[in-house]
Amino acid sequence: MAAYVSTLNFPTHAVSPPKRAVNGHSNHTNHTADRLQIVNDEKQFTSDLSDQISSWGLRDVGFDYNLVAVFGSQSTGKSTLLNRLFGTNFDVMDESKRQQTTKGIWMCRGHDMNVLVMDVEGTDGRERGEDQDFERKSALFSLASSEVLIVNLWEHQVGLYQGANMGLLKTVFEVNLGLFGKKSQESSNQRTLLLFVIRDHIGATPLANLQATLTADLHRIWDTLSKPAELQDRKLTDYFDLSFTALPHKILASDRFESDVRTLRGRFTDKSRDDFVFKPAYHKRIPADGVAFYMEGIWEQVQTNKDLDLPTQQELLAQFRCDEISTNALVEFNDQSKSQKRPIEAGKVIDGLGEMMRSWRSQALSRYDREASRYHQGVYKRKRADLVGTLDSTLSPLFLGQLKNLHKAALVSFKSATVAGLKVEGYNFADVVGKARASAEARFSDGAQEAVVTEGDASWQWEEELRLLREEIQSIADQLRKDETKKMVNAIERNFKKQIAEPVDLQLSRPTPEIWDNVLRTYTDTLADSEYSYLSKARSFDCTDEENDQAVATLRQRAWAALRAKIDEQTVDTAILTKLRSYFEERFRYDEQGVPRVWKPDDDIDGAFKKAKDVTLELISLYAKIVPQDPELAYTPPEDGEDDTPGLVVFSETKALELGARFRREADAHYIEAKRSTVVGIAQIPYWIYGMLVVLGWNEAMLILFNPLYFALVLILAASAWITIQLNLAGPLMHVGGSIALEVKRQAENRLREHFAEPLRAQAHAAMEEDDDAREPERRIPQPF
Ligand SMILES: Nc1nc2c(ncn2[C@@H]2O[C@H](COP(=O)(O)OP(=O)(O)OP(=O)(O)O)[C@@H](O)[C@H]2O)c(=O)[nH]1
């Protein structure tokens, strides 16, 4: 009866526990605590191997593990040997029954060693009849997947073609040649160790002889293999290393058996030994976490009788695993990158974004590298490039978003800095704009440079964005400059108007033949000042020559328009008529000294009138057009394409005629008035009256002149008058005199009023008394009761 061995019985000299016959379930693989049937009777590969490897703690050991399998006839003590060598607990046959024990392929982890050990169903197919399919497949599988294949055989089998399974080996070699041949073509130096363990070695035939026989047999088999054409010259030793050892009879020489087994075990555990079996050259370079997948792939290939193409298998495995590892590496990365996606989409500039992105990226890559670098290098690198592509394509939108946000932020800071700078008193436009531009550009460049994930890569360029930013800043600066220029031109225009207003008013109200010379001189001088003041300010604006020309042209147009407005204001009908009138009056009603004329009958009123009228009328044509006397001062008004700039004509011919007519009417009125005033003068005191006064007053004059008293009195009065005039006391005296006179007059009036009021009051009183008397009888009449 078979018994189940659940605990490890190693190292032990005791007889192995009774063997349990393990028949794989039809659709499931057998599974015990620390061993696993990886291929069952139904030739199905287990799905539990990966988990089992994990539970053995080998999943993450990378390449730090070895794989060994055993090959040999049934019941040749394979399980016994493996258990002794690796501390495994494969089922061992009950000695009394001698019945096949191991079914399918089992796997154990070596005790305290990173070794995966495969116990393979024995060959011969005795219990399977003629079905050699499984043993051929399991042998192929063992050979392809393991680093060391222990070929277990009895001493007496040596030299027997069938007994030592040489026929089977031949088939296995043949099929494998395709595989090894291809690998060789790829100049891979992968080899497999065939370790022959000769059991029940009595010692009569030395090991060396047995070894020679076996080697010769193997070479003979190799030579008779049907090899692919390109591999005709390949030798057995190109692919396999051969090693031989012998063990004494387990029962007959059990002590020596145990000690020799221990020695043999040393070849599997002691790396320092020269004959250490697990040489790096035998390793299949499959990371431990991929072994399950890899072996299953090989089994499938064996099963479907395809050519065992290990490189393809390795690549397929690598692809599968690298994809898996890459996906895992991306999980955390995606979470990290997602965290910044929203803020960036919302227009926020993330400080230190580049730093973060570089760290997420390198973390993801190192996660990938740690596990995937152990796989097929070509695939690993290819998949890494794919991963880098995925990482970068995730980070790129963040980078571009950051650039966009930086661009916006830089523009905003440029605008606010210029607005603030232009509010400061006495700012220099070029300085303000230059500083704001430099700081905005630096802000953008620093931020963009920080956000670069891989230097020098085309997808992390930001120079184009900087160029666009510069363009936008330039256009804003241009607009600002235009506004500023406009403001400045307006201010200069206002100032110009103020400056010309008074002189032009004055010059126009005092007409002389040089009137326009004066006006134009004032105009050109003031304009020149204005232009100078514009150009000197414009220098700080960085204006182009073209802009300056434009602004100066505008200034000229506006200045001319301002002058013309002023002239028009001074030459509207009423204003010009007033001017004409006063000009005429100055000449007709006043004499050369500006004294008003009193017309005498024999004055030449007509002549004076005509002269004054004619010179005044000449003024109309003078005012009518801006024409200076000095041809050098002649001015051509600036041309404006759009609205009509007023020219040199102040008013038209018709207007001049109308003004002339209106003036004439007014002048005529003055003429008539002058004439009438002469008549009034004639109607006054006749001259003979004065003669009569002299004649009649002669005596009184003589009396005063020749009377010393009167004469002295007259002299005193004359002297007092002279002194008074000399001391300028005439005014105050007159004032005092006037005041006294007024007071006297007031007093006199009061007296007179009182005087005349007295009789009136008396009259009134009398009248009232009369009235009273008249009413008395009425009063005296007794009132009726
Ligand atoms: N004569 C002899 N018998 C041995 C030796 N080693 C093991 N045995 C015995 O041979 C029998 C078969 O041993 P197993 O280890 O089960 O042999 P196996 O090759 O694993 O058998 P299967 O798995 O059924 O192919 C057992 O009864 C062992 O005790 C040995 O070195 N010499």
Side-chain angles (χ1 to χ4, degrees):
M1 197 185 128
Y4 168 68
V5 182
S6 61
T7 50
L8 185 65
N9 186 18
F10 177 83
T12 178
H13 298 277
V15 176
S16 299
K19 205 162 187 175
R20 182 179 70 137
V22 181
N23 293 312
H25 304 287
S26 55
N27 284 315
H28 303 97
T29 47
N30 282 312
H31 204 338
T32 67
D34 45 12
R35 61 187 168 169
L36 175 73
Q37 189 180 33
I38 60 171
V39 178
N40 65 10
D41 272 7
E42 306 298 319
K43 302 176 193 169
Q44 285 162 335
F45 197 90
T46 180
S47 56
D48 298 337
L49 181 56
S50 192
D51 289 345
Q52 185 66 64
I53 288 174
S54 296
S55 72
W56 282 331
L58 293 176
R59 192 188 179 279
D60 296 319
V61 298
F63 297 133
D64 187 19
Y65 75 97
N66 301 102
L67 221 158
V68 62
V70 72
F71 171 83
S73 308
Q74 281 176 22
S75 306
T76 45
K78 299 189 293 297
S79 306
T80 306
L81 178 65
L82 293 179
N83 288 346
R84 292 281 193 294
L85 290 177
F86 302 107
T88 49
N89 61 347
F90 293 115
D91 279 344
V92 173
M93 190 184 91
D94 182 349
E95 303 213 357
S96 58
K97 292 194 176 156
R98 303 219 57 89
Q99 179 189 23
Q100 186 184 25
T101 312
T102 308
K103 292 279 190 178
I105 304 172
W106 286 74
M107 184 181 271
C108 267
R109 182 196 165 168
H111 181 71
D112 275 349
M113 51 207 295
N114 291 355
V115 178
L116 295 172
V117 188
M118 283 196 287
D119 192 5
V120 185
E121 181 177 317
T123 57
D124 288 353
R126 191 186 304 163
E127 297 193 8
R128 289 174 185 267
E130 291 308 305
D131 180 13
Q132 288 199 329
D133 185 54
F134 186 81
E135 60 184 39
R136 201 178 70 239
K137 283 178 173 167
S138 61
L140 268 170
F141 175 74
S142 310
L143 192 65
S145 56
S146 55
E147 299 163 48
V148 176
L149 184 67
I150 298 173
V151 184
N152 193 54
L153 71 170
W154 301 121
E155 184 186 354
H156 63 78
Q157 285 179 309
V158 176
L160 297 175
Y161 185 77
Q162 280 303 329
N165 292 309
M166 289 303 174
L168 178 60
L169 267 182
K170 185 184 176 206
T171 315
V172 171
F173 281 167
E174 221 162 47
V175 176
N176 272 292
L177 195 58
L179 150 75
F180 293 119
K182 279 182 193 170
K183 281 182 73 70
S184 164
Q185 274 171 346
E186 286 182 1
S187 64
S188 162
N189 202 22
Q190 223 170 58
R191 306 161 69 80
T192 304
L193 177 69
L194 299 178
L195 175 62
F196 288 86
V197 181
I198 300 160
R199 310 291 292 270
D200 285 0
H201 182 231
I202 301 163
T205 318
L207 178 62
N209 292 6
L210 297 170
Q211 180 175 334
T213 310
L214 282 170
T215 309
D217 283 349
L218 286 169
H219 280 291
R220 200 167 44 251
I221 288 171
W222 188 262
D223 291 343
T224 58
L225 291 182
S226 51
K227 304 183 195 77
E230 68 273 21
L231 303 173
Q232 283 302 328
D233 54 348
R234 293 289 157 140
K235 297 190 174 57
L236 175 74
T237 48
D238 289 339
Y239 303 109
F240 297 103
D241 282 341
L242 304 177
S243 185
F244 301 88
T245 192
L247 290 175
H249 199 287
K250 178 177 168 275
I251 296 162
L252 300 180
S254 62
D255 287 351
R256 277 209 301 122
F257 173 81
E258 296 298 344
S259 77
D260 282 8
V261 166
R262 266 202 300 281
T263 312
L264 181 60
R265 175 179 152 77
R267 292 185 62 187
F268 289 91
T269 55
D270 186 357
K271 289 182 183 173
S272 61
R273 284 172 63 147
D274 286 344
D275 56 358
F276 179 62
V277 293
F278 293 128
K279 296 215 162 59
Y282 307 142
H283 204 291
K284 296 285 185 278
R285 310 306 296 167
I286 305 299
D289 56 352
V291 161
F293 188 82
Y294 173 70
M295 293 182 93
E296 189 177 357
I298 294 176
W299 182 253
E300 260 169 39
Q301 295 278 320
V302 170
Q303 268 290 78
T304 50
N305 277 327
K306 285 186 190 159
D307 253 8
L308 272 178
D309 184 351
L310 275 190
T312 307
Q313 276 302 306
Q314 286 180 350
E315 274 191 47
L316 282 174
L317 168 74
Q319 276 168 20
F320 172 78
R321 282 293 296 145
C322 289
D323 280 345
E324 217 172 55
I325 295 165
S326 181
T327 308
N328 287 337
L330 274 171
V331 173
E332 197 182 334
F333 170 83
N334 284 335
D335 284 350
Q336 289 167 324
S337 62
K338 220 177 265 171
S339 71
Q340 298 303 330
K341 203 169 160 228
R342 266 189 191 211
I344 285 187
E345 280 173 356
K348 199 166 168 258
V349 173
I350 311 284
D351 286 336
L353 179 72
E355 173 86 47
M356 281 189 249
M357 294 199 294
R358 288 188 291 275
S359 138
W360 305 333
R361 188 177 186 270
S362 67
Q363 282 169 19
L365 283 178
S366 66
R367 279 197 292 276
Y368 172 80
D369 288 344
R370 199 167 51 234
E371 294 185 36
S373 60
R374 297 191 285 243
Y375 287 92
H376 187 276
Q377 286 301 299
V379 177
Y380 153 70
K381 282 182 184 145
R382 214 166 50 236
K383 293 285 172 188
R384 191 180 198 277
D386 291 351
L387 177 63
V388 167
T390 311
L391 295 174
D392 288 356
S393 67
T394 309
L395 295 178
S396 181
L398 295 183
F399 172 72
L400 295 176
Q402 176 91 332
L403 284 192
K404 209 172 85 195
N405 299 344
L406 278 168
H407 181 126
K408 268 192 234 153
L411 273 187
V412 168
S413 83
F414 173 75
K415 280 183 199 157
S416 57
T418 43
V419 167
L422 295 180
K423 276 186 187 151
V424 177
E425 196 66 38
Y427 63 87
N428 176 316
F429 182 83
D431 270 6
V432 170
V433 171
K435 271 186 200 145
R437 182 203 308 270
S439 100
E441 283 184 14
R443 182 173 172 181
F444 176 85
S445 302
D446 292 350
Q449 185 58 48
E450 198 281 330
V452 168
V453 172
T454 21
E455 202 73 50
D457 196 321
S459 49
W460 305 103
Q461 300 289 320
W462 47 270
E463 282 73 13
E464 177 61 17
E465 192 72 32
L466 176 64
R467 196 185 60 75
L468 289 176
L469 175 68
R470 281 190 175 138
E471 270 178 20
E472 277 182 51
I473 286 181
Q474 188 55 47
S475 78
I476 294 174
D478 286 348
Q479 189 54 50
L480 278 173
R481 199 178 56 211
K482 271 184 199 144
D483 294 349
E484 283 295 301
T485 314
K486 219 179 268 173
K487 252 166 50 187
M488 190 170 71
V489 169
N490 288 344
I492 291 175
E493 182 194 353
R494 270 199 304 280
N495 197 30
F496 175 84
K497 280 182 182 164
K498 221 182 283 170
Q499 280 179 322
I500 60 156
E502 215 178 292
V504 171
D505 275 356
L506 209 65
Q507 280 146 8
L508 287 180
S509 57
R510 285 202 198 132
T512 62
E514 288 82 33
I515 182 172
W516 295 122
D517 297 64
N518 297 335
V519 166
L520 286 175
R521 202 173 290 120
T522 308
Y523 169 77
T524 42
D525 289 353
T526 318
L527 180 59
D529 286 351
S530 299
E531 282 181 21
Y532 176 76
S533 111
Y534 167 79
L535 288 173
S536 57
K537 277 193 189 166
R539 212 169 296 137
S540 89
F541 281 47
D542 279 349
C543 288
T544 59
D545 288 349
E546 197 184 329
E547 279 171 335
N548 282 340
D549 291 350
Q550 176 72 40
V552 168
T554 310
L555 194 59
R556 282 181 187 162
Q557 268 162 15
R558 300 222 201 139
W560 178 251
L563 176 73
R564 278 306 315 260
K566 191 82 230 152
I567 293 173
D568 290 349
E569 175 197 306
Q570 291 291 324
T571 53
V572 286
D573 293 3
T574 47
I576 197 129
L577 281 171
T578 311
K579 284 191 179 63
L580 296 177
R581 191 186 308 127
S582 64
Y583 191 81
F584 170 76
E585 282 178 2
E586 264 171 41
R587 271 144 199 83
F588 182 61
R589 293 181 64 185
Y590 297 85
D591 61 14
E592 284 74 19
Q593 280 77 42
V595 180
R597 272 193 180 130
V598 178
W599 296 107
K600 297 179 202 87
D602 48 354
D603 279 350
D604 180 12
I605 298 182
D606 290 3
F609 172 70
K610 190 175 176 329
K611 196 176 151 202
K613 193 174 76 174
D614 287 348
V615 288
T616 308
L617 280 173
E618 272 170 27
L619 285 188
I620 296 180
S621 58
L622 179 68
Y623 276 118
K625 197 170 179 200
I626 305 169
V627 186
Q629 298 276 306
D630 181 356
E632 275 186 18
L633 287 168
Y635 186 77
T636 318
E639 295 219 350
D640 189 350
E642 290 159 24
D643 53 339
D644 330 320
T645 313
L648 294 167
V649 176
V650 180
F651 45 78
S652 63
E653 286 285 319
T654 338
K655 185 90 189 159
L657 288 174
E658 186 198 321
L659 283 171
R662 282 174 68 179
F663 165 71
R664 272 194 192 90
R665 274 199 295 280
E666 282 191 28
D668 291 352
H670 280 288
Y671 174 77
I672 291 163
E673 193 195 312
K675 280 281 185 192
R676 194 180 293 139
S677 73
T678 331
V679 174
V680 171
I682 292 166
Q684 280 173 356
I685 304 161
Y687 294 119
W688 54 266
I689 288 287
Y690 298 106
M692 217 173 81
L693 269 177
V694 171
V695 171
L696 289 178
W698 186 257
N699 288 342
E700 282 74 14
M702 285 306 121
L703 182 73
I704 290 166
L705 208 63
F706 294 107
N707 183 330
L709 191 71
Y710 283 137
F711 189 71
L713 201 68
V714 167
L715 274 180
I716 288 165
L717 279 174
S720 316
W722 185 78
I723 289 165
T724 309
I725 288 162
Q726 285 301 308
L727 293 177
N728 263 347
L729 288 171
L733 276 177
M734 292 282 276
H735 188 71
V736 172
S739 301
I740 292 168
L742 265 175
E743 185 56 29
V744 169
K745 189 183 159 210
R746 202 171 54 81
Q747 290 290 336
E749 275 177 359
N750 284 348
R751 289 284 160 78
L752 280 171
R753 254 187 220 116
E754 274 171 23
H755 176 77
F756 288 113
E758 213 49 46
L760 274 175
R761 226 179 280 144
Q763 265 179 3
H765 195 249
M768 272 170 71
E769 276 180 351
E770 272 176 27
D771 267 10
D772 286 350
D773 290 345
R775 279 185 208 116
E776 203 61 28
E778 287 170 28
R779 250 186 255 148
R780 266 181 259 139
I781 294 168
Q783 297 297 315
F785 298 101

